[in-house]
Amino acid sequence: EHRVKELGRLKLTLISAAERMVMSRLAVVCGGSRGIGEAVARLLAERGCRVAVVSRNQEAAEAAVAALHGADHRAFSCDVSKEHQVQETFETIQKTCGDIAYLVNAAGINRDALLLRTKPEEMVAALHTNLLGPMLTCRAALRSMLRGPGAAIVNIGSVVGLKGNSGQCAYGASKAGLEGFTRSLAKEVASRNIRVNLLAPGFIHTDMTTGLNEEAKARSIPLGRFGTPEEVATGVLFLLDSSYLTGQVLVVDGGLQLAM
Ligand code: NDP
């Protein structure tokens, strides 16, 4: 009787393993309602992933999901800087969508001003969204990732985090911190076949850059123009798809950092 029960359990394990292999992989894209994150969500859906789009604005997340190729995508409203919301959202994602194979942290805000004019609460907001946010989402996704055969995380940093920029002290600090976090987490989880990389964009056409003088800024970019969210998404897909890259920084900036 004991053997029959054991065989039954083995059969169930094999069936669920086979089911997991044929099901498309689940990607969570934080900040997937607009800009770079939206382009990432679109590309991953086109490549057959099921996508969970996370942003504070539920309607915007739902609109982004409605525009995705294929079915089985879901929208979640969550402020990534709030530990309780992140924990609850990721638990719901795992319960309703299954284990997470990919996590892309594209949620971000800029609080640009000279340091003397930056209020402490604006510093806190930038650090909480851009640095604490990805730390919380990675932490919330890891248990689920550990159950799978392998997983990958891409954090969206910035050339400002690598090179610095006047008027972006809070933002630059948050993005430099994100690079340190990425490298440390990469070391921590490599033995479990979870890869963690950072993609650092330059100037990209999104809501975040609409107020900028594009013509003047473009003169400082060797390729002479801003990038598109789709061009960044291609880089994210490359990092997710690779199998032997971890703890790395991929700069997608039209050569901007060469000139900084
Ligand atoms: P957008 O402003 O176009 O989009 C930001 C996205 O993040 C939205 O989906 C927004 O949705 C979401 N978001 C913001 N704050 C939170 C939060 N607290 N919790 C959950 N979601 C949040 O920005 P971009 O697409 O331009 O930027 C994406 C990432 O790329 C950011 O990390 C940014 O710093 C980085 N980056 C961008 C560059 C550029 O030139 N555009 C250059 C270098 C880096 P909602 O408001 O509904 O929450």
Side-chain angles (χ1 to χ4, degrees), residues 20 25-26 50 94 97-101 143-145 147-148:
R20 269 205 303 275
R25 306 197 84 193
L26 175 65
R50 289 173 298 125
Q94 283 153 56
C97 309
D99 282 338
I100 299 164
R143 265 187 228 295
S144 167
M145 289 180 156
R147 283 194 289 267

Side-chain angles (χ1 to χ4, degrees), residues 30-37 54-58 60-61 78-81 105-110 129-130 156-159 171 175 200-209:
C30 298
S33 65
R34 285 187 277 128
I36 291 171
V54 176
S55 74
R56 288 167 301 182
N57 183 326
Q58 174 80 25
C78 166
D79 182 337
V80 296
S81 68
N105 281 308
I109 54 169
N110 55 348
T129 302
N130 301 348
I156 307 295
S158 167
V159 286
Y171 182 78
K175 294 297 186 178
F203 289 111
I204 309 299
H205 271 297
T206 67
D207 291 351
M208 197 177 263
T209 51

Side-chain angles (χ1 to χ4, degrees), residues 229-246:
E230 290 72 23
E231 286 172 315
V232 178
T234 308
V236 171
L237 187 73
F238 168 74
L239 291 173
L240 292 176
D241 246 0
S242 65
S243 49
Y244 203 51
L245 262 173
T246 198

Side-chain angles (χ1 to χ4, degrees), residues 11-69:
K11 195 174 149 196
L12 282 178
T13 311
L14 285 173
I15 289 171
S16 72
E19 271 173 0
R20 269 205 303 275
M21 279 168 75
V22 292
M23 261 168 61
S24 60
R25 306 197 84 193
L26 175 65
V28 179
V29 183
C30 298
S33 65
R34 285 187 277 128
I36 291 171
E38 186 186 12
V40 170
R42 213 180 309 123
L43 190 57
L44 288 172
E46 280 165 15
R47 300 299 162 98
C49 280
R50 289 173 298 125
V51 183
V53 169
V54 176
S55 74
R56 288 167 301 182
N57 183 326
Q58 174 80 25
E59 278 178 20
E62 278 170 11
V65 161
L68 293 180
H69 178 271

